[in-house]
Amino acid sequence: MKKLIAALGLATVSWVPTAHSAETLVVGVENIEYLPHYYWDGDSYSGFGADVLNRFAEDEGYTLTYRALPISRLMQAMVNGDVDLKYPDNAFWSADLKEGKSITYSAPVVEAIDGVMVLPENLGQPVESIERLGTVLGFTAFAWMDRIQSGAVALTENSSFSGMVRQALAGRIDGAYANQDVVRRVLTDIGMEAEALVFDEGLPHSVSNYHLSSATHSEVVEKFDAWMAANPDVIAELKSKHGL
């Protein structure tokens, strides 16, 4: 049965119910490795996002079933109501797909900074020095779209974060555009120093927040907000645990 669940991209986390009646919720998540934020390994969901959602479920008496999908399909599944909740989400992501839909977003769960990670010796160079920019398939370098569309920057899309990071280390791209926490984790995972690539805040970057969203269960999102507001120490503890 476990193999069947994994093949379907599902993982169930059950908790002992509290005073609330246990309700099962399907949470749509990205089927990628994006630690320390989150990771779907084909069988289970882990990382900071998973820990936050699981603690919420434990306290509020929910049973969570994680459904992992490719990024492009996941947003459509949330909009269609095929999943009860989506994490992470942001009102600016796939805005055209959400047009006319009533989507409820939680308060920010964690801040995310996406920018260019460069070799330390290249830190502080002008924007014109970035001619070859690396990204990962499914992710958009919004802060660089004007330069990409004008042809000033050539985009190199990678199938994995480790592949993109290795290209940046080897100098085959001028910078890797990604979440800085994720790149640091990848560097340590491949046996490099966490500062082998550094975030250049002088180059175009974006600061956003990750939210929990739903097109069908606004009441759950509201409970999640109330739970976060009542448990700032838990959120801080989990951020510290995952190095965020």
Side-chain angles (χ1 to χ4, degrees):
M1 182 64 181
K2 185 177 180 181
K3 291 182 178 178
L4 176 59
I5 290 174
L8 293 173
L10 298 171
T12 300
V13 179
S14 300
W15 306 100
V16 177
T18 61
H20 299 88
S21 60
E23 179 182 357
T24 298
L25 297 168
V26 178
V27 185
V29 298
E30 298 173 356
N31 66 342
I32 60 171
E33 181 174 355
Y34 204 66
L35 290 173
H37 287 283
Y38 47 87
Y39 176 33
W40 174 259
D41 66 2
D43 183 49
S44 61
Y45 189 56
S46 60
F48 169 77
D51 282 355
V52 170
L53 293 173
N54 290 342
R55 287 290 289 271
F56 164 66
E58 181 178 14
D59 289 349
E60 298 298 324
Y62 291 108
T63 297
L64 301 184
T65 297
Y66 291 106
R67 183 181 181 192
L69 294 168
I71 295 172
S72 57
R73 287 175 53 198
L74 177 58
M75 190 67 78
Q76 188 68 64
M78 187 278 291
V79 170
N80 291 347
D82 296 331
V83 295
D84 300 315
L85 304 164
K86 179 183 184 295
Y87 184 84
D89 202 355
N90 186 290
F92 292 103
W93 298 351
S94 301
D96 54 340
L97 189 63
K98 299 172 180 175
E99 189 173 356
K101 304 289 185 178
S102 179
I103 310 295
T104 302
Y105 298 91
S106 73
V109 179
V110 66
E111 183 181 77
I113 300 178
D114 293 344
V116 183
M117 307 293 287
V118 300
L119 292 167
E121 58 265 31
N122 295 331
L123 184 65
Q125 296 296 310
V127 67
E128 291 78 15
S129 67
I130 304 296
E131 298 179 352
R132 300 163 299 166
L133 186 67
T135 60
V136 172
L137 285 168
F139 291 83
T140 303
F142 290 108
W144 287 80
M145 288 309 297
D146 287 348
R147 295 189 64 80
I148 292 169
Q149 291 172 352
S150 71
V153 172
L155 198 63
T156 298
E157 293 185 306
N158 293 266
S159 60
S160 69
F161 284 94
S162 60
M164 176 186 64
V165 166
R166 291 179 190 279
Q167 281 194 317
L169 290 170
R172 292 198 294 272
I173 54 177
D174 301 314
Y177 189 89
N179 180 279
Q180 59 175 328
D181 296 313
V182 174
V183 171
R184 291 192 184 106
R185 176 61 177 263
V186 171
L187 285 166
T188 58
D189 284 349
I190 65 175
M192 302 293 293
E193 293 292 330
E195 299 303 317
L197 293 174
V198 293
F199 169 57
D200 194 332
E201 62 181 353
L203 295 174
H205 61 279
S206 64
V207 180
S208 61
N209 291 289
Y210 291 164
H211 305 257
L212 181 68
S213 70
S214 179
T216 57
H217 287 70
S218 60
E219 77 286 353
V220 175
V221 176
E222 290 167 4
K223 284 185 179 180
F224 180 70
D225 275 347
W227 176 83
M228 284 201 298
N231 293 278
D233 54 332
V234 172
I235 303 298
E237 169 198 334
L238 295 177
K239 284 181 179 178
S240 177
K241 171 186 173 182
H242 291 282
L244 297 172

